[in-house]
Every structure is written in C-alpha cells, then in structure tokens.
C-alpha cells in the first residue's frame, strides 16, 4: 500500500516537516494517531478548513487515526497567526455551540467508527482549569522568549502591539500536543503552514520533556497563482454551511476558478486520480472549462450531497445559456425599482455600490443593460444579471 506521505507529496500538500525519514518510516509501517486543531471562531467551517479535512481523510484512508481537536480553550484566547488585530474573545456558551456545528460538518468527510475512527476532543477540558503557576513551572520552562519572538506569528505583530494574552497561545497549543500524546499516543500534528511555529513547538516540547518521538507536518496554504488566499468573495468567506453560502454559490465559486489554479485545486481538494486530473487539465483553451465544472461538482457533492450538487450544476448551466433552471431569488412585493431589487437579493451591500455598478454597465435586466438604478422593475418574474458571473431569476414574494 502506498505510504500516505507519498500521496500527500504527489498531490502538493506537504510544505514543511521535521525528522522526515523517521516519520516516513512510521507512516508506512504502523497506524499513527495524529491531530489537527480547529478554533471554533464561527458556527461553520469554511474553505480555509477544507484542505485540512481532505488531508485528514487521506490519512484515515491510509490507516491512521484522526484526533480532531476543537479549540474550546485556545479559541477563548485567539491565535495571532496571520492577524494584524486581536481576536475578540468568545463566551464558553458560544464556543460550545460552534463545536456542535463543526462536528456535524466534519461527519461528511471523516469516519467516526471502526478501528481507526476519528475522535473529537475539546482542549477546554484541560486548559480552562489549569493552575497557572504550575503550568509556568511545568511547561513555561521549556520555552525561550527570544526564540518565540523570532516566530513570524509574533514578529509581524510587534509593531502594532502583541498582547500577553496572545503571547501565551504557542504554549497552550504545544501543551495540547503533549496532552494528546499522553492520553491517546498522538505522534503527529498537521496544519497549515502559517501554524508552523506553533506546531513545531509542540513536537519539540514532547521530545524534550517526554524524551520520545513526536512529529510536525504543515501543508501549503490554499492560495491562487497570484498568492492570494482562496475562499473569499465580496460577500466574505465561502462557508460549508448552506445557510451562509448556498450550494449554487459554492458551486459557482469553484466554477470560476482561474485557469492557472484548476489543476492545483483538483489535486488538493478532490480524490480524483492524478492521471485523470492531468487529462482534464491538459489543455489551456476553452476545454479547461470541463475541468472547472468537474472541480465545482466534486466539491459541491462532497459538502452538500449529490442531489444539491446536481441542482447547482443545472442552475449554473441555465444561468449561462445551457439547459436547466436558473437559481431563483425572491423579493418582497413592495420592491418596485432596480435599486431595491439589488439590495433585497444581496447582490449589492449599499445604495452607493448599486449605483456604481449600474453606472459602470454591470447590471442587465432581461438581457438589456440597465442605465438607471431607479428604473422600474418588469411585472412578474424577470432575469437579473450582475456582471458576467451572477445570473438569477427574480420572483415576487
């Protein structure tokens, strides 16, 4: 059976590791308990988490045991990685609600039964009741402040201000790894490469304190060929919760992937064989659209199920001149002009944005370009286009 490390490397996941040869041997010869942490800062996972879930499934399918760590404790502090501001602190009740939402979404990806079934743990169980002095004596002694300040997650915050609250985050995450190592034999932490310093700190703590093997591996971040993070739209994050991002919007997000990014996304985010992906992406002309459609369908089916993926594909086809039915949006009967419709549907966030969009020729009604944001709407249902990528059928409620 292929070593999962070969699989992850061939598909472009692996960014950094430590003790790589030793880890490779373990992953090829025994079932390795590993963990990935998720801070419950919202009531849904988003595209930024997607790669971690896919990697976790690759690992589980290869016989390794996933430990899903929910940061109920660390989430009340906030990870400074990649931040220029301080996260707002959440109540325990909010964190618990978010944890339950995460579990439901993860069940679509990860198996929770069987010999190497995943388990879910919450670091609030051991972090919230820590004795601070004992923690400093037991864990703090292994950390050099000078070394910590060289970590990018801290160094980038020094000019704008780094709170002592956030400064503790690395120690807390390292302690998580130590606890999981002691309780479940966890040997490996995985995560995005922006977490490298924190993940490495945990593996180092176990090796120094426990005198036994522990490993760290980070994945490349999901970015476009231009270096921008994927998973963001004008509306904000692309969520896995259909109440936040509809299956149609989710499908369209991936259908609109740039030509240069399609192959990478197919490798990282789907389970299609590499030779099939190579065939789909062999051409950089209009045939690349087939690869985009396959990417959009595969991911939508994975997140929302086959029925909703089929519906989203049909709506997208109809919206852009093919067969099927366009996505339908309902506006109140009291809305009589184009401005009101753009706001009611959520295509624009403000009056000013709507006016600018119309003035720039970005809105069409029933195939005719709109020139006046105050124009009266057609009676009955009509088609409303925003730019080249957003097309909906509008009905009155």
């Amino acid at each position: 059976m292929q070593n999962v490390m070969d699989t992850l490397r061939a598909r472009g996941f692996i960014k950094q590791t430590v003790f790589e040869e030793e880890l490779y041997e373990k992953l090829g010869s025994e079932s390795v308990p590993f963990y990935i942490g998720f801070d419950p800062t919202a009531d849904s996972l988003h595209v930024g988490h997607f790669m971690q879930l896919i990697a976790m499934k690759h690992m589980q399918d290869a016989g390794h045991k996933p430990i899903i760590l929910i940061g109920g404790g660390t989430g009340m502090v906030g990870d400074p990685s990649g931040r220029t501001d301080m996260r707002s602190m959440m109540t325990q009740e909010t964190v618990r609600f978010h944890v339950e939402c995460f579990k439901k979404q993860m069940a679509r990806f990860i198996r929770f039964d069987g010999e190497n079934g995943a388990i879910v743990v919450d670091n609030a169980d051991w972090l919230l009741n820590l004795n601070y002095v004992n923690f400093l004596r037991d864990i703090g002694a292994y950390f050099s402040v000078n070394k910590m300040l060289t970590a990018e997650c801290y160094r980038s915050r020094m000019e704008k201000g780094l709170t002592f609250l956030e400064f503790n985050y690395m120690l807390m995450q390292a302690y998580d790894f130590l606890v999981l190592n002691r309780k479940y034999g966890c040997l490996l932490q995985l995560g995005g490469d922006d977490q490298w310093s924190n993940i490495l700190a945990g593996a180092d703590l176990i090796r120094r304190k426990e005198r036994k093997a522990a490993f760290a591996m980070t994945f490349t971040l999901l970015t476009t060929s231009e270096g921008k993070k994927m998973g963001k739209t004008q509306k904000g994050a692309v969520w896995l919760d259909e109440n936040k991002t509809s299956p149609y919007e989710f499908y369209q997000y991936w259908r609109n992937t740039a030509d240069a990014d399609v192959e990478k996304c197919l490798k990282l985010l789907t389970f299609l064989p590499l030779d099939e992906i190579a065939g789909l992406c062999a051409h950089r002309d209009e045939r690349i659209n087939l690869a985009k459609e396959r990417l959009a369908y595969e991911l939508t089916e994975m997140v929302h199920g086959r029925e909703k993926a089929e519906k989203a594909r049909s709506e997208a086809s109809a919206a852009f001149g093919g067969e099927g039915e366009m996505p339908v949006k309902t506006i109140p009967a009291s809305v009589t002009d184009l401005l009101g419709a753009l706001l009611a549907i959520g295509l624009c966030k403000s009056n000013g944005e709507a006016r600018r969009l119309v003035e720039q020729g970005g809105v069409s009604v029933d195939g005719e370009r709109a020139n006046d944001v105050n124009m009266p709407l057609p009676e009955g249902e009509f088609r409303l286009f925003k730019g080249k990528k957003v097309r909906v059928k509008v009905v009155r409620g």
Side-chain angles (χ1 to χ4, degrees), residues 266 272 276 280 289-299:
L266 282 166
L272 295 177
E276 185 176 350
L280 283 167
N289 289 323
L290 294 175
K292 295 182 184 183
E293 290 168 7
R294 187 65 182 275
L295 172 68
Y297 182 82
E298 291 287 329
L299 298 191

Side-chain angles (χ1 to χ4, degrees), residues 115-167:
E115 187 175 346
N116 66 327
I119 60 172
V120 178
V121 297
D122 184 350
N123 64 12
D125 293 343
W126 57 82
L127 289 179
L128 296 188
N129 295 316
L130 277 177
N131 179 296
Y132 187 60
V133 173
N134 289 344
F135 178 75
L136 289 179
R137 289 170 61 89
D138 188 37
I139 303 301
Y142 290 91
F143 286 80
S144 161
V145 171
N146 289 354
K147 186 176 180 181
M148 288 174 69
L149 289 175
T150 64
E152 178 61 28
C153 61
Y154 292 137
R155 190 160 50 85
S156 62
R157 289 288 308 280
M158 290 300 288
E159 289 185 11
K160 292 194 174 182
L162 174 69
T163 69
F164 187 70
L165 178 72
E166 294 170 294
F167 193 63

Side-chain angles (χ1 to χ4, degrees), residues 94-111:
T94 299
V95 169
R96 279 195 290 267
F97 173 69
H98 292 175
V99 166
E100 291 306 311
C101 295
F102 280 21
K103 287 179 182 177
K104 292 176 184 176
Q105 293 178 336
M106 289 175 175
R108 297 195 66 92
F109 297 84
I110 310 301
R111 182 172 45 79

Side-chain angles (χ1 to χ4, degrees), residues 46-326:
H46 53 71
V47 165
H49 298 116
F50 206 91
M51 261 184 64
Q52 319 304 324
L53 297 173
I54 300 299
M56 194 180 290
K57 181 165 174 57
H58 278 300
M59 291 284 291
Q60 186 179 50
D61 288 349
H64 307 293
K65 184 176 181 64
I67 301 170
I68 299 166
L69 181 128
I70 302 294
T74 43
M76 296 182 69
V77 173
D79 177 9
S81 301
R83 303 282 298 193
T84 56
D85 59 339
M86 179 179 169
R87 292 183 189 270
S88 58
M89 287 184 283
M90 297 176 292
T91 65
Q92 288 180 248
E93 290 74 20
T94 299
V95 169
R96 279 195 290 267
F97 173 69
H98 292 175
V99 166
E100 291 306 311
C101 295
F102 280 21
K103 287 179 182 177
K104 292 176 184 176
Q105 293 178 336
M106 289 175 175
R108 297 195 66 92
F109 297 84
I110 310 301
R111 182 172 45 79
F112 287 90
D113 56 3
E115 187 175 346
N116 66 327
I119 60 172
V120 178
V121 297
D122 184 350
N123 64 12
D125 293 343
W126 57 82
L127 289 179
L128 296 188
N129 295 316
L130 277 177
N131 179 296
Y132 187 60
V133 173
N134 289 344
F135 178 75
L136 289 179
R137 289 170 61 89
D138 188 37
I139 303 301
Y142 290 91
F143 286 80
S144 161
V145 171
N146 289 354
K147 186 176 180 181
M148 288 174 69
L149 289 175
T150 64
E152 178 61 28
C153 61
Y154 292 137
R155 190 160 50 85
S156 62
R157 289 288 308 280
M158 290 300 288
E159 289 185 11
K160 292 194 174 182
L162 174 69
T163 69
F164 187 70
L165 178 72
E166 294 170 294
F167 193 63
N168 278 269
Y169 191 90
M170 183 181 289
L171 277 71
M172 295 169 74
Q173 185 168 325
Y175 184 65
D176 286 343
F177 197 172
L178 178 63
V179 170
L180 296 178
N181 179 267
R182 289 171 172 174
K183 292 184 70 173
Y184 305 105
C186 182
L187 296 178
L188 170 65
Q189 183 182 359
L190 305 176
D193 197 53
D194 55 348
Q195 288 289 317
W196 175 246
S197 298
N198 293 333
I199 293 174
L200 190 60
D204 184 60
L205 176 63
I206 292 168
R207 285 181 174 263
R208 293 175 64 196
K209 186 171 178 60
E210 304 292 285
R211 303 290 181 185
K212 58 184 181 181
F215 303 92
M217 182 190 297
T218 59
F219 303 132
T220 183
L221 299 178
L222 189 61
T223 58
T224 68
S225 55
E226 298 173 345
K228 297 179 181 178
K229 269 192 177 183
M230 296 189 75
K232 291 281 188 180
T233 68
Q234 288 185 336
K235 291 183 177 180
V238 180
W239 301 96
L240 305 195
D241 182 345
E242 65 179 274
N243 296 312
K244 290 176 172 287
T245 301
S246 72
Y248 172 75
E249 290 171 325
F250 189 84
Y251 180 96
Q252 279 298 98
Y253 176 81
W254 297 109
R255 174 61 182 82
N256 292 328
T257 300
D259 293 1
D261 300 322
V262 179
E263 186 170 9
K264 177 177 69 174
C265 288
L266 282 166
K267 287 180 177 179
L268 292 173
L269 303 178
T270 78
F271 296 94
L272 295 177
L274 291 177
D275 56 352
E276 185 176 350
I277 293 173
L280 283 167
C281 300
H283 305 283
R284 296 296 176 178
D285 51 24
E286 69 280 355
R287 286 172 285 186
I288 197 70
N289 289 323
L290 294 175
K292 295 182 184 183
E293 290 168 7
R294 187 65 182 275
L295 172 68
Y297 182 82
E298 291 287 329
L299 298 191
T300 308
E301 181 186 27
M302 209 181 306
V303 174
H304 297 295
R306 179 169 297 179
E307 183 178 340
K308 290 176 181 176
E310 294 281 0
K311 185 172 184 288
R313 180 164 62 183
S314 174
E315 290 176 342
S317 175
F320 293 92
E323 297 180 353
E325 295 187 4
M326 292 177 66

